[in-house]
């Protein structure tokens, strides 16, 4: 025989699930909002110019420049979110390319300063590189193309706080934190559905 308490418990659980589902709270609890977006509306990552130096089909690799390359070592990581930050995209492709510390792009078949990484099951990606130099008239930046079969691909650029970034969208400017010999920055991305 089912006890009265158990029945009451089931009613409460059902009511809670109904309320949570109806308010979208279940999704909110499943995936916490990214730090950079906390307390703000979750907007799709704005696009920015592709520029003339993109080369498609860069290899998948964790470090855009080999260890020992001149420049300040930098680790960029983040999460690729669905619209509204309700969920994340696993297996999204983050295609990045940038200038070296002297502001020079590589055009060899070695894809130096170029590479792709994939997001894991939690939508997380990370790559290691060096802080890009500026090449006049551009402020230091890293080019991004982010794609997933279920999302509209976005081509954009990432900039760094403390530079004269010429009025680019705030969502494309991140601070960098010193961590030993390395600088670290978080760039969360929000894609729109196709
Ligand atoms: Fe560029």
């Amino acid at each position: 025989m089912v006890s009265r308490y158990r029945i009451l418990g089931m009613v409460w659980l059902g009511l809670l699930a109904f309320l949570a589902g109806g308010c979208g709270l279940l999704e909110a609890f499943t995936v916490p909002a990214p730090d950079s977006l906390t307390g703000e509306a979750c907007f799709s990552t704005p696009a920015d110019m592709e520029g003339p130096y993109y080369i498609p089909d860069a290899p998948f690799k964790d470090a855009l420049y080999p260890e020992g390359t001149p420049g300040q070592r930098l680790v960029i990581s983040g999460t690729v979110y669905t619209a509204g930050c309700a969920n994340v995209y696993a297996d999204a492709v983050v295609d990045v390319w940038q200038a070296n510390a002297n502001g020079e792009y590589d055009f060899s078949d070695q894809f130096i300063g170029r590479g792709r990484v994939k997001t894991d099951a939690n939508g997380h990606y990370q790559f290691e590189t060096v802080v890009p130099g500026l090449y006049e008239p551009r402020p230091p930046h890293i080019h991004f193309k982010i794609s997933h079969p279920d999302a509209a691909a976005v081509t954009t650029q990432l900039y760094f706080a403390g530079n004269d970034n010429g009025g680019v969208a705030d969502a494309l400017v991140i601070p960098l934190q010193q961590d030993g010999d390395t600088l670290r920055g978080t760039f969360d991305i929000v894609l729109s559905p196709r």
Side-chain angles (χ1 to χ4, degrees):
M1 183 176 150
V2 182
S3 78
R4 190 188 305 172
Y5 287 115
R6 187 169 292 183
I7 291 172
L8 268 178
M10 287 192 296
V11 168
W12 268 116
L13 277 178
L15 186 62
L16 278 175
F18 172 76
L19 284 173
C23 303
L25 284 173
L26 276 181
E27 289 104 311
F29 282 129
T30 352
V31 180
D35 288 346
S36 58
L37 300 167
T38 301
E40 299 171 18
C42 175
F43 295 111
S44 293
T45 299
D48 199 350
M49 288 177 302
E50 176 172 310
Y53 302 139
Y54 178 62
I55 301 177
D57 302 322
F60 285 88
K61 55 180 168 180
D62 295 333
L64 303 189
Y65 291 94
E67 202 70 45
T69 301
Q72 167 63 59
R73 236 34 211 179
L74 169 66
V75 174
I76 300 291
S77 60
T79 301
V80 179
Y81 288 88
T82 61
C85 297
N87 212 329
V88 298
Y89 285 113
D91 289 326
V93 174
V94 180
D95 190 347
V96 284
W97 69 103
Q98 66 165 84
N100 66 15
N102 294 324
E104 300 157 347
Y105 283 84
D106 175 83
F107 298 101
S108 76
D109 58 5
Q110 301 300 302
F111 286 93
I112 298 165
R114 304 167 183 275
R116 288 182 289 175
V117 289
K118 269 190 179 180
T119 57
D120 65 15
N122 298 315
H124 187 256
Y125 75 91
Q126 177 170 305
F127 63 89
E128 189 178 331
T129 184
V130 297
V131 174
L134 72 134
Y135 59 95
E136 295 291 353
R138 301 299 327 284
H141 60 277
I142 300 178
H143 294 268
F144 278 70
K145 268 183 192 290
I146 311 102
S147 59
H148 185 279
D150 298 335
V154 169
T155 300
T156 192
Q157 299 184 37
L158 176 64
Y159 303 84
F160 309 105
N163 297 330
D164 179 3
N165 290 310
V168 299
D170 286 348
L172 301 179
V173 182
I174 61 164
L176 299 178
Q177 291 88 30
Q178 193 80 45
D179 178 15
D181 292 341
T182 302
L183 284 176
R184 293 182 185 275
T186 302
F187 182 40
D188 291 321
I189 295 155
V190 184
L191 297 182
S192 302
R194 263 185 193 284

